């Protein structure tokens, strides 16, 4: 709001814009300014000025002295124009109505200070805005650096993952390569066996079905001499000396080496197991019992797979020779003996017992599956061997070799009997035999006869 008020000196023309009141924002200052303006701003545009006498009396007492007049006018730009005209009198003094009072001077001074504070605040705000821009710039730089580091970290992690993947692929390829090399070595070994077999037995590489058909159509052609399928065939070929020979089971594709026993009860026996001095550890895994282990000239297990191939090409019998530590001998004979394939856990089929010792094998272990310590069978774990266990055994011919016969579990901290046991001979599970031999031959075998 613009108001006009008198102020100044004689014969002066001035303008005053009351702009300092509103920007201050103070209720008290605004109220005082409005009161001041109201006092100064009269209702008329032109007023007479009264003069004071020297005695300080009021005009009302001595009479009104005309000192002059003044007028005010609002200009188009919003300012107020005041014109005062005072006569020059030597004896009379007109009131100095246009002189600024102390309160007006105070508020004018306050206004200047507020203006100065506003300027300082503006400078401070400008500085703060500049500092804020700098902070924003730094934050942006840090964000960019963080993004760059994150990108680098992501790249490093991706690289590490790629390297790990390549390492795994390389390991897999290396494993495949090792497996292929192992298979190739096995095939080379098999080819070598076949080559040696073919050199010794020229007609034996003919498949068994073709050999049977040739014998049916050409009775004069006999392949038995050239193609032994077991030690009985070798016996029929005229060999009567015990030793290690190669045979080619008709249900198999590769020759295998076997120990042939030609002296016991007419000969022709294929030995599948022998224990004699404890030189070979019989606590073995499933795969070792499957493939066979040991030394054919000492202690060994022929292998479940080989036993299966031999016993499933015809009807076979089993003989078990036993010897204790007093050099006494016993034997058990079984008219029927065979084992199934691996898919059926090499299940045992044995029957038709006779011999010089009571049976501890067929009556208790017949139709039982083969098991080893690594297959989770508690009996195999306790007995430390591979056998056709059944809660747990009456015979354990693949057990631990204990010298001297009787043994105890106390000193060895074992859970139960685990020796080479034939219970019905010694009536105990804690007597380990000195020697054992298991051997098979065809049920129809006849000594000293040629086919």
């Amino acid at each position: 709001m613009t108001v006009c008020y008198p102020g100044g000196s004689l014969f002066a023309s001035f303008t005053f814009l009351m702009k300092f009141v509103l920007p201050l924002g103070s209720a008290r200052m605004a109220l005082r300014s409005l009161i001041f303006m109201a006092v100064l701003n009269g209702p008329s545009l032109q007023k007479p000025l009264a003069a004071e006498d020297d005695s300080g009396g009021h005009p009302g007492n001595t009479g009104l002295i005309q000192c002059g007049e003044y007028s005010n006018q609002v200009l188009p730009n919003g300012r107020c124009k005041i014109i005062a005209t005072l006569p020059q009198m030597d004896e009379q003094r007109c009131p100095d109505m246009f002189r600024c009072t102390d309160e007006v001077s105070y508020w004018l001074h306050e206004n200047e200070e507020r203006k100065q504070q506003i300027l300082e605040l503006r400078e401070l705000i400008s500085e703060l805005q500049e500092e804020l821009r700098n902070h924003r710039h730094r934050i942006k730089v840090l964000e960019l650096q963080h993004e760059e580091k994150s990108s680098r970290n992501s790249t490093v992690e991706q690289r590490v993952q790629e390297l790990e993947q390549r390492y795994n692929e390389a390991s897999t390829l290396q494993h495949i390569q090792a497996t292929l090399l192992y298979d190739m070595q096995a095939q080379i070994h098999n080819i070598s066996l076949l080559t040696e077999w073919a050199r010794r037995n020229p007609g034996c590489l003919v498949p068994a079905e073709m050999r049977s058909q040739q014998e049916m159509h050409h009775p004069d052609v006999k392949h038995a001499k050239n193609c032994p399928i077991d030690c009985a065939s070798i016996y029929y070929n005229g060999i009567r000396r015990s030793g290690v020979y190669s045979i080619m089971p008709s249900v198999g594709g590769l020759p295998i080496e076997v120990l042939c026993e030609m002296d016991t009860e007419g000969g022709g026996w294929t030995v599948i197991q022998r224990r004699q001095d404890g030189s070979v550890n019989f606590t073995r895994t499933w795969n070792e019992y499957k493939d066979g282990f040991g030394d054919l000239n000492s202690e060994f297990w022929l292998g479940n797979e080989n036993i299966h191939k031999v016993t499933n090409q015809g009807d076979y019998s089993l003989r078990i020779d036993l010897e204790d530590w007093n050099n006494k001998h016993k034997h058990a004979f079984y008219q029927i003996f065979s084992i199934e394939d691996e898919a059926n856990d090499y299940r045992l089929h044995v029957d038709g017992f006779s011999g010089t010792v009571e049976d501890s094998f067929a009556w208790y272990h017949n139709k039982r599956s083969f098991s080893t310590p690594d297959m989770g069978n508690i009996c195999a774990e306790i007995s430390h061997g591979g056998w056709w266990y059944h809660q747990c055994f009456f015979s354990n011919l693949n057990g631990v070799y204990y010298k001297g016969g009787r043994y105890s579990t106390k000193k060895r901290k074992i859970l139960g009997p685990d020796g080479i046991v034939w219970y019905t001979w010694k009536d105990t599970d804690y007597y380990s035999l000195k020697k054992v031999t298991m051997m098979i031959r065809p049920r129809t075998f006849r000594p000293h006869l040629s086919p």
Side-chain angles (χ1 to χ4, degrees):
M1 176 179 67
T2 305
V3 294
C4 295
Y5 63 94
S9 59
L10 295 176
F11 304 103
S13 176
F14 59 91
T15 62
F16 183 83
L17 177 61
M18 191 62 178
K19 291 186 177 180
F20 66 93
V21 176
L22 296 180
L24 296 179
S26 172
R28 179 183 177 187
M29 184 181 300
L31 180 59
R32 291 181 177 179
S33 300
L34 289 176
I35 294 173
F36 177 69
M37 292 296 105
V39 171
L40 293 181
N41 191 22
S44 63
L45 297 177
Q46 189 172 8
K47 292 183 179 180
L49 299 176
E52 296 179 352
D53 58 11
D54 294 336
S55 61
H58 296 283
N61 298 329
T62 59
L64 181 63
I65 300 174
Q66 297 293 329
C67 292
E69 61 182 13
Y70 71 91
S71 64
N72 53 27
Q73 180 183 359
V74 178
L75 299 178
N77 59 2
R79 294 180 179 272
C80 184
K81 181 178 181 183
I82 298 176
I83 303 173
T85 303
L86 297 177
Q88 185 68 32
M89 299 178 181
D90 296 335
E91 298 179 355
Q92 297 180 346
R93 180 167 60 87
C94 290
D96 192 358
M97 297 181 61
F98 306 105
R99 184 171 53 197
C100 291
T101 63
D102 293 337
E103 190 169 352
V104 172
S105 299
Y106 171 78
W107 289 115
L108 288 175
H109 178 70
E110 287 290 320
N111 183 51
E112 291 299 327
E113 288 185 355
R114 298 298 183 271
K115 287 183 180 180
Q116 185 63 28
Q117 290 177 358
I118 290 173
L119 291 176
E120 292 176 355
L121 287 174
R122 286 179 180 176
E123 292 179 358
L124 179 60
I125 290 173
S126 178
E127 293 176 359
L128 291 175
Q129 288 178 343
E130 181 66 22
E131 188 174 355
L132 178 61
R133 283 193 293 270
N134 293 335
H135 281 301
R136 287 177 178 174
H137 178 71
R138 293 193 203 99
I139 292 173
K140 186 65 176 178
V141 172
L142 291 175
E143 288 178 350
L144 293 176
Q145 291 177 352
H146 176 70
E147 291 178 358
E148 184 178 358
K149 290 181 179 179
S150 299
S151 177
R152 290 178 182 176
N153 292 337
S154 176
T155 303
V156 171
E157 291 178 359
Q158 183 178 1
R159 182 61 177 168
V160 170
Q161 292 177 355
E162 291 177 357
L163 291 176
E164 289 179 350
Q165 183 178 0
R166 290 183 181 180
Y167 174 78
N168 293 332
E169 292 175 354
S171 299
T172 302
L173 291 175
Q174 186 176 6
H175 177 71
I176 294 174
Q177 183 181 13
T179 303
L180 291 175
L181 287 175
Y182 178 80
D183 292 341
M184 290 178 64
Q185 290 175 351
Q187 292 177 10
I188 292 172
H189 177 70
N190 294 337
I191 291 173
S192 299
L193 291 176
L194 287 173
T195 302
E196 182 64 20
W197 179 260
R199 186 182 67 80
R200 294 180 180 179
N201 307 279
C204 280
L205 293 181
V206 179
E209 295 80 3
M210 293 180 62
R211 294 203 302 266
S212 299
Q213 292 179 3
Q214 288 178 1
E215 290 179 2
M216 289 176 59
H217 294 88
H218 304 281
D220 54 324
V221 178
K222 299 296 182 181
H223 290 278
K225 260 193 170 181
N226 294 323
C227 303
I229 60 175
D230 53 23
C231 289
S233 299
I234 293 176
Y235 180 91
Y236 287 145
N237 285 345
I239 298 175
R240 304 292 192 267
R241 178 180 296 179
S242 298
V244 177
Y245 300 94
S246 295
I247 63 173
M248 177 79 82
S250 60
V251 296
L254 292 173
I256 58 176
E257 289 189 337
V258 295
L259 174 63
C260 295
E261 171 57 53
M262 300 298 188
D263 300 322
T264 302
E265 198 182 350
W269 297 100
T270 303
V271 182
I272 63 173
Q273 184 256 34
R274 184 162 71 175
R275 309 293 300 275
Q276 62 182 18
D277 56 13
S279 59
V280 175
N281 180 17
F282 272 67
T283 305
R284 300 295 185 108
T285 64
W286 175 268
N287 287 332
E288 288 175 306
Y289 269 99
K290 171 186 174 180
D291 298 332
F293 57 85
D295 183 359
L296 291 175
N297 294 309
S298 178
E299 295 189 333
F300 67 91
W301 178 259
L302 184 61
N304 290 334
E305 196 64 28
N306 294 329
I307 297 172
H308 164 71
K309 290 178 181 179
V310 173
T311 58
N312 280 269
Q313 61 186 354
D315 296 329
Y316 280 78
S317 299
L318 170 68
R319 178 184 171 99
I320 301 177
D321 287 344
L322 309 171
E323 181 180 342
D324 67 7
W325 290 90
N326 294 322
N327 297 323
K328 292 182 179 180
H329 296 80
K330 300 284 186 178
H331 80 273
F333 179 80
Y334 299 91
Q335 192 73 17
I336 299 173
F337 174 78
S338 67
I339 63 172
E340 298 181 24
D341 58 9
E342 184 179 17
N344 294 296
D345 299 325
Y346 301 113
R347 185 178 293 110
L348 173 66
H349 296 274
V350 59
D351 201 4
F353 169 75
S354 63
T356 60
V357 68
E358 292 185 25
D359 182 25
S360 286
F361 187 42
W363 78 272
Y364 193 75
H365 296 276
N366 186 34
K367 295 184 180 179
R368 302 302 171 185
S369 297
F370 197 88
S371 58
T372 54
D374 64 319
M375 298 302 290
N377 185 291
I378 185 63
C379 290
E381 293 177 6
I382 293 174
S383 305
H384 299 103
W387 196 247
W388 296 274
Y389 291 109
H390 170 55
Q391 297 180 0
C392 280
F393 63 79
F394 264 75
S395 61
N396 186 38
L397 303 184
N398 287 337
V400 178
Y401 192 92
Y402 291 111
K403 294 182 179 181
R406 295 194 178 275
Y407 65 97
S408 174
T409 61
K410 295 180 180 179
K411 296 181 180 180
R412 295 177 176 84
K413 296 181 180 180
I414 57 179
L415 298 177
D418 61 350
I420 303 173
V421 175
W422 191 273
Y423 183 84
T424 55
W425 185 7
K426 301 298 180 179
D427 293 327
T428 178
D429 290 328
Y430 295 97
Y431 186 96
S432 186
L433 299 174
K434 181 180 181 180
K435 292 183 180 180
V436 176
T437 302
M438 299 176 67
M439 46 193 178
I440 59 176
R441 73 181 179 187
R443 196 184 309 168
T444 58
F445 177 81
R446 296 295 179 268
H448 309 299
L449 295 177
S450 296

